[in-house]
Amino acid sequence: MTPRVLPPGVTTSAVAVRVVLFLLPCAALALALPDVPHPALVVAVLLGAAWWARVPDHPAGAITLLLVAGWWTVHDVLDWRILAVGVLLVAAHVLATVLSYGPVALPVDPRLAVLWARRGLLSLVPMPVTYLAVRGLDADLAPAWLWTAAAVGTVALLVLTARLTQPESG
């Protein structure tokens, strides 16, 4: 008989999902390379992510996300990596939310996972628009039509988001 590594009722897939939860904020901070964050920040993110993976509804998750987002904010990075960091942090938050619905031995309801995945994707809708606005729009140099186009685009995205968040019929 082989020794059991996992507690009774815990599947390897449940552990794999928690490993992904651990890796997401770590990957978001690792995108900073070749700039190396302060070692204390790296240790804090590693410990916070590990604790968050163990207890997904613990405030350590929010602290970990804030530490990573704070590093990126303080270092004033505004290139493609910031979009990837945003996606990784939202994915970590959504995954932790789904995992917090029950104990580690409880299988995740696929409908719940789909619901939260859709919500997470919808929360990403304004990200590229905001990124482009911050990167390319200068209030003094932009022509007036550009602000009108940005307003129309924003309204279109809000209408699309409202439509996609309606309950499914049937």
Side-chain angles (χ1 to χ4, degrees):
M1 179 164 178
T2 60
R4 183 158 175 84
V5 177
L6 300 174
V10 177
T11 63
T12 53
S13 62
V15 173
V17 171
R18 288 172 188 270
V19 168
V20 170
L21 179 57
F22 168 76
L23 292 174
L24 287 170
C26 296
L29 189 61
L31 281 173
L33 296 173
D35 295 337
V36 179
H38 193 277
L41 176 68
V42 173
V43 169
V45 168
L46 288 171
L47 292 175
W51 190 256
W52 195 25
R54 186 177 184 287
V55 186
D57 56 350
H58 194 274
I63 293 167
T64 303
L65 294 180
L66 287 173
L67 287 172
V68 174
W71 187 92
W72 283 97
T73 302
V74 167
H75 286 82
D76 204 23
V77 176
L78 193 58
D79 58 21
W80 65 269
R81 296 177 295 170
I82 204 67
L83 292 171
V85 167
V87 170
L88 290 170
L89 295 181
V90 168
H93 174 65
V94 168
L95 186 57
T97 300
V98 171
L99 289 175
S100 69
Y101 272 87
V104 68
L106 181 70
V108 174
D109 179 18
R111 291 178 302 174
L112 180 69
V114 168
L115 172 72
W116 277 101
R118 287 176 64 189
R119 288 177 178 173
L121 289 172
L122 286 173
S123 74
L124 295 174
V125 167
M127 189 183 301
V129 176
T130 305
Y131 174 76
L132 290 174
V134 170
R135 289 280 299 189
L137 297 181
D138 183 351
D140 297 329
L141 300 176
W145 65 265
L146 190 59
W147 293 108
T148 304
V152 169
T154 301
V155 169
L157 288 173
L158 289 172
V159 168
L160 176 66
T161 302
R163 173 66 186 110
L164 291 175
T165 56
Q166 296 300 315
E168 293 180 16
S169 60

